[in-house]
Amino acid sequence: MTESTLDLTKLYEAILIGDASAAKEIVEAAIAAAVDPQLLVTGQMIPAMDEVGRRFEAGEYFVPELLIAGRAMKGALALLQPLLAARGVEPIGRVVIGTVKGDMHDIGKGLVASMLEGAGFEIIDLGVDVSADKFVARALETKADIVALSALLTTTMLSIKDVIAAVRKIDALNGCKIIIGGAPVTQQYADSVGADGYSSNANGAVTLARQLLSA
Ligand code: B12
């Protein structure tokens, strides 16, 4: 199958209805047809998750639908992540990344990690539900240049402030930059908690990380 005969909107549909095997099949066909992985992620997969969120908010979807859509998204993303992360030679900086305490959402965080890795950063991914102490400990251990925090809930977004305070307390992490993101996070919030940067998406996270390290 070639790119022109592939109907990529089927990927949007598959994720929206949580059909993991259809999503995987379409992504495999798209990879075989050399479709740009970014086009799949930003053109179909993220918009599908946005629509899942809209339906959840409107009371049309419930937690089981969120779960199966999330599973379809993760399965499809796992096939694309090696392509997104095809890396350069020398790491240009080290990033400790994780989703903050109390928060189990990891799809966006994973995407940011893959894009940063693809741009040549070394990634230490701490996973989800990460405490401020763990961020600090791993940042010290790995001599991180950047700590990247993801939060998807308005409640857990508040823990960002705790992580920033914990990092700023440590002299050895003086030069370490903190970037934040996730659906409820805004530039205004980032400014109010003293983060070094914010981006609403994974591409922007790469630009931001590069800018912070070159400054
Ligand atoms: C899938 C999903 C789930 C899945 C998560 C699966 C997984 N493995 O991640 C499951 C089912 C587990 C889930 C659970 C819950 N969820 Co949920 N979930 C979603 C959903 C539909 C999509 C999230 C997603 O993956 N989006 C796709 C990715 C690519 O986007 P993203 O995460 O925003 O990331 C991008 C940017 O934000 C940015 N970014 C992200 N992180 C970072 C970090 C940095 C450093 C930077 C720079 C940028 C950046 O770049 C990413 C790529 O472009 C959202 C709706 C939405 N539109 O956000 C609701 C949503 C986040 N969930 C919501 C809720 C309420 C819940 C639950 C409380 C439901 C419940 N009653 O149990 C639980 C909470 C569990 C917990 N403790 O965390 C609400 C939050 C409301 C709020 N205001 O707080 C939302 C907004 C749905 C809604 N519209 O009401 N959820």
Side-chain angles (χ1 to χ4, degrees), residues 45-46 49-54 56-57 63 66-71 73-74 77 97-98 102-109 111-112 147-156 179-184 197-205 208:
M45 296 163 65
I46 292 179
M49 292 308 283
D50 286 344
E51 175 59 12
V52 170
R54 193 203 62 73
F56 180 72
E57 216 162 345
V63 173
L66 283 194
L67 268 172
I68 59 166
R71 197 185 52 196
M73 174 81 174
K74 282 190 81 170
L77 211 49
I97 189 167
D103 199 323
M104 309 309 284
H105 296 85
D106 67 352
I107 295 172
K109 184 262 301 160
L111 205 50
V112 170
V147 170
L149 310 175
S150 182
L152 265 286
L153 300 170
T154 42
T155 46
T156 59
I179 64 173
I180 67 174
Y198 155 79
S199 166
S200 65
N201 60 72
N203 287 326
L208 185 62

Side-chain angles (χ1 to χ4, degrees), residues 161-178:
K161 209 162 44 171
D162 302 336
V163 183
I164 295 181
V167 171
R168 301 288 192 230
K169 262 205 305 221
I170 310 289
D171 286 345
L173 293 176
N174 253 344
C176 182
K177 306 289 184 195
I178 303 175

Side-chain angles (χ1 to χ4, degrees), residues 1 5 26 33 41 67 92 111 121 124 132-133 143 188 197 200:
M1 216 183 298
T5 55
I26 301 161
V41 174
L67 268 172
I92 55 174
L111 205 50
F121 288 88
I124 298 103
D133 288 349
K143 299 190 169 57
Q188 198 189 5
S200 65

Side-chain angles (χ1 to χ4, degrees), residues 7 15 20 24 26 54-55 78 85 89 91 94-95 102 115 125 146 156 173-174 179 181 188 203 206 213:
D7 180 2
I15 289 175
K24 202 166 155 245
I26 301 161
R54 193 203 62 73
R55 290 186 183 187
V89 209
R94 196 169 292 134
V95 182
M115 294 295 293
D125 189 340
I146 295 178
T156 59
L173 293 176
N174 253 344
I179 64 173
Q188 198 189 5
N203 287 326
V206 170
L213 290 200

Side-chain angles (χ1 to χ4, degrees), residues 124-136:
I124 298 103
D125 189 340
L126 306 185
V128 296
D129 191 20
V130 183
S131 67
D133 288 349
K134 187 162 180 192
F135 274 112
V136 168

